Amino acid sequence: MDLKLFGEVFVTLLVIVDPPGMMPIFLALTGPLSARERNRAAWQAVALALGVIVIFAVAGQTLLAYLHVDLPALQAAGGLLLILVALELLTGKTDDPTKQATANIALVPLGTPLLAGPGAIVATMLFVQQGDGPADFSAIAAAIVAVMLTVWIVLRFSGGIVKVLRPGGIEVLTRIAGLLLAAIAVQLIADAIAAFVAQYNGAG
């Protein structure tokens, strides 16, 4: 296994996924839940993210080509989805835990597009394209698994912060997380528009 490639993929994906930055958003979405439900949400989100990244790593180019979808379109869709979630956080619609299913939180927006977002998907697809032989592909696969394991550890043990923050702190954190999510969403959409403009200017 190519350890240099492993390190490159691991660091790149870890920076993109950003587990410390993900923690406030995870706590805002799962704060009112019980510890058991929060742990289950962390596991489900990481499992889904791993599945999505693996699928796109193996068949991403083929899938997007078959659907006639460009990567910027995928990026813009992720941004729009995050805006909806950010609005719910900012307006307090997520405060009632009885109105949310844990699986829903774990799958959307945690699993995708936050963990397995356009950035992680595109980076993985590029690494796979550049890979040559079983040694490279095994390094890429091991790095993806290692990143997801790191994310799971961070989310799994973030529950202790909930006990310190109390309900008032969670509410403040929720609003801050909503603002951060909105900023991430706007950036995703802006990058997608810029990519579309560059693509069509290049074509013209």
Side-chain angles (χ1 to χ4, degrees):
M1 189 170 72
D2 188 342
L3 292 179
K4 183 182 176 184
L5 180 60
F6 171 86
E8 190 179 344
V9 177
F10 179 81
V11 171
T12 301
L13 289 181
L14 198 66
V15 169
I16 292 172
V17 175
D18 186 20
M22 194 65 59
M23 194 185 295
I25 297 169
F26 175 75
L27 291 177
L29 289 168
T30 63
L33 301 176
S34 67
R36 185 176 178 181
E37 288 176 321
R38 193 181 306 114
N39 293 340
R40 188 187 307 153
W43 179 85
Q44 289 174 333
V46 170
L48 175 70
L50 179 61
V52 169
I53 288 176
V54 168
I55 288 171
F56 274 95
V58 174
Q61 292 284 12
T62 306
L63 183 62
L64 292 179
Y66 177 75
L67 296 173
H68 304 291
V69 173
D70 292 328
L71 283 173
L74 190 68
Q75 197 166 346
L80 291 172
L81 186 58
L82 288 186
I83 281 181
L84 294 176
V85 178
L87 289 174
E88 287 191 353
L89 290 174
L90 288 168
T91 56
K93 289 183 179 178
T94 61
D95 289 348
D96 185 358
T98 61
K99 292 184 180 178
Q100 282 189 305
T102 309
N104 291 345
I105 298 171
L107 302 181
V108 180
L110 287 176
T112 183
L114 285 175
L115 291 178
I121 288 171
V122 171
T124 305
M125 287 169 63
L126 288 175
F127 278 123
V128 170
Q129 283 178 1
Q130 294 165 6
D132 182 26
D136 284 358
F137 295 133
S138 61
I140 294 169
I144 293 170
V145 172
V147 168
M148 288 299 136
L149 187 61
T150 303
V151 172
W152 177 80
I153 291 171
V154 171
L155 298 184
R156 170 67 177 79
F157 294 102
S158 63
I161 300 174
V162 175
K163 297 176 183 176
V164 176
L165 290 176
R166 308 282 180 172
I170 289 293
E171 188 172 343
V172 172
L173 190 66
T174 300
R175 303 298 180 262
I176 294 172
L179 191 60
L180 291 173
L181 261 187
I184 293 170
V186 170
Q187 187 64 55
L188 278 175
I189 294 172
D191 289 346
I193 292 172
F196 273 126
V197 170
Q199 183 177 321
Y200 287 114
N201 283 344

